[in-house]
Amino acid sequence: IPQDPMDFEWSYWIEWGRERVLWLLAGHLLVSQMSRLLVEKYKPWCLMVYGMAACWLLLGIKGFAVILLHAAISFAVAQFQLSLLTWLCSLILLSTLRIPAVEETKRKWYDTENEYYLLLFTVSVRCLFCTSFSLEYCWHAPTQKSSHSFPWMLAYVFYYPTFHNGPLVNFDEFSKQMRRQEAFSVKTNLSILIVGIIRIFFWWCLAELMIHLMYIHALYSSALPLESASYWALGGLALAQVLFFYVKYLVLYGVPGLLLQMDGLKPPPLPCCVSLMHSFTKMWRSFDVGLHRFLVRYIYVPMGGSQSSLLGTLLSTALTFAFVSYWHGGQSYLWYWGALNWLGVIVENGIKRILSFSLIQDLI
């Protein structure tokens, strides 16, 4: 049965996975387990060297240099220990990905469009990692200097399981867990690996069945079947699409999450099933947990969050969704998507506040 070719993200990562990424992840696993077994103290540096080598192999010397340059610039700006300056630097670096002349130059480095996109996706995700490290550097106490050095930044930025597509792990969590030395058990790790592989294989089979039998994305790409469908059918298609999105990310985040566990780190929880969600707030909190933690720690709370006035809460929520829209690409449809999500969260929280009044509770 031919598959639905219209979901670019799934086709793209499965193709890269089969070609090289899965093999490089297997290499990371081998290096990680050997370093945990023999040189636990030097594990972060072994994994850093491996991540840099894997980056060089996949993206070439120029791609490697771009990521290293981004890290070096972010680290240099972080020396001023000003959060606003760090954010300005991060946004400028992110904006360079959308300058047509720069895009054209990077395209010429590679033989295929897929290789260029791999660099684009990788640098986008690395921007978040550089931002996390830089802000933690701005906030760290002088006694924590050794754990906020440039080598630690490279160990974090070039950590391979999260390198191309996430999930996002904030630097404070990463460094704390990576520096923690635990008793290593080959038997325990082997059982975690076997169970994890079985689960991911099941999710992958389910995603492949959906993409070979349901043709959700192909239907969405053509106006004719959508115009002739009933509202119930359109609702069913929308539900099918978000369910596929959920299963897809169980695989895309499940693989790096398993490797994080094998490295002795705690990965962000996998996405919660969308069928169990009934609120915008829960969707944002429990689908991409790593991104949610990043947004809360570095944007929402520093801007005042729920502890500020009503206007302050509206502003901090708006800035959070504005950054998400800009980071995803900044196209007009993403601004509409961000605005609608912001509106959904605001209306939902507003209704919750109204319902919490004792008078309303008595009426209910």
Side-chain angles (χ1 to χ4, degrees):
I1 302 170
Q3 74 168 46
D4 180 352
M6 300 308 292
D7 188 84
F8 170 77
E9 191 176 32
W10 178 256
S11 308
Y12 182 84
W13 288 117
I14 290 299
E15 187 182 330
W16 268 109
R18 283 173 181 156
E19 281 184 11
R20 292 189 193 175
V21 173
L22 270 180
W23 299 107
L24 288 170
L25 288 172
H28 170 94
L29 179 63
L30 184 63
V31 170
S32 163
Q33 298 313 292
M34 291 301 290
S35 59
R36 287 190 77 186
L37 193 62
L38 304 172
V39 283
E40 176 76 22
K41 189 180 175 182
Y42 301 104
K43 181 181 73 173
W45 318 122
C46 295
L47 297 182
M48 178 191 78
V49 170
Y50 181 84
M52 293 172 98
C55 171
W56 193 317
L57 181 69
L58 269 189
L59 300 175
I61 178 108
K62 290 176 181 174
F64 172 77
V66 166
I67 293 166
L68 195 59
L69 183 64
H70 274 234
I73 292 169
S74 297
F75 186 77
V77 172
Q79 302 306 301
F80 293 100
Q81 295 195 303
L82 296 169
S83 299
L84 190 62
L85 194 60
T86 289
W87 265 116
L88 188 62
C89 170
S90 297
L91 291 172
I92 290 169
L93 288 174
L94 201 54
S95 69
T96 61
L97 302 179
R98 298 177 188 113
I99 298 169
V102 176
E103 282 184 334
E104 207 53 48
T105 303
K106 287 176 183 174
R107 271 192 168 91
K108 288 173 184 174
W109 297 348
Y110 301 106
D111 297 328
T112 65
E113 196 79 348
N114 271 5
E115 288 173 295
Y116 163 71
Y117 280 131
L118 187 66
L119 174 67
L120 185 66
F121 297 148
T122 305
V123 175
S124 297
V125 176
R126 292 307 93 201
C127 275
L128 296 185
F129 278 69
C130 288
T131 305
S132 175
F133 176 88
S134 299
L135 289 170
E136 294 294 341
Y137 187 93
C138 291
W139 301 341
H140 84 283
T143 52
Q144 298 172 299
K145 194 173 181 181
S146 62
S147 60
H148 289 75
S149 60
F150 189 60
W152 266 106
M153 185 186 198
L154 294 181
Y156 175 58
V157 168
F158 285 97
Y159 180 68
Y160 195 68
T162 60
F163 192 67
H164 299 297
N165 195 41
L168 189 53
V169 181
N170 291 340
F171 179 72
D172 62 317
E173 298 167 25
F174 176 84
S175 63
K176 198 187 302 174
Q177 293 175 34
M178 190 62 88
R179 283 184 284 115
R180 186 180 62 214
Q181 294 188 17
E182 297 176 328
F184 177 71
S185 167
V186 176
K187 190 179 176 183
T188 305
N189 259 24
L190 192 61
S191 63
I192 290 169
L193 182 66
I194 291 166
V195 171
I197 287 172
I198 291 167
R199 289 174 72 195
I200 291 163
F201 181 71
F202 170 75
W203 296 328
W204 174 76
C205 289
L206 184 57
E208 283 292 317
L209 273 173
M210 291 173 86
I211 213 157
H212 278 84
L213 299 176
M214 295 176 75
Y215 297 94
I216 314 152
H217 303 90
L219 286 167
Y220 268 113
S221 65
S222 175
L224 193 63
L226 294 179
E227 286 169 356
S228 58
S230 68
Y231 289 129
W232 281 105
L234 289 172
L237 277 171
L239 179 61
Q241 188 177 45
V242 293
L243 284 170
F244 176 76
F245 191 74
Y246 158 65
V247 175
K248 172 169 71 176
Y249 269 87
L250 286 179
V251 178
L252 296 182
Y253 280 178
V255 174
L258 177 59
L259 290 174
L260 279 157
Q261 279 185 283
M262 297 296 289
D263 292 347
L265 309 180
K266 188 181 178 184
L270 288 172
C272 186
C273 180
V274 288
S275 295
L276 301 176
M277 294 183 199
H278 61 274
S279 76
F280 277 93
T281 312
K282 189 181 177 185
M283 181 72 181
W284 278 99
R285 280 181 185 162
S286 55
F287 192 86
D288 191 336
V289 179
L291 181 61
H292 175 259
R293 287 174 180 171
F294 176 93
L295 296 171
V296 169
R297 184 167 175 82
Y298 302 121
I299 303 176
Y300 186 69
V301 171
M303 288 303 298
S306 58
Q307 303 304 310
S308 61
S309 63
L310 178 62
L311 191 63
T313 304
L314 290 172
L315 178 64
S316 52
T317 312
L319 283 173
T320 303
F321 282 111
F323 176 75
V324 172
S325 302
Y326 184 68
W327 178 71
H328 274 90
Q331 291 90 345
S332 57
Y333 72 89
L334 287 166
W335 292 111
Y336 296 135
W337 168 76
L340 288 169
N341 274 278
W342 173 75
L343 191 63
V345 169
I346 292 302
V347 169
E348 190 174 273
N349 287 329
I351 291 169
K352 275 183 187 174
R353 283 192 183 188
I354 292 166
L355 292 176
S356 68
F357 295 146
S358 54
L359 180 67
I360 303 294
Q361 296 233 329
D362 291 342
L363 283 170
I364 289 169

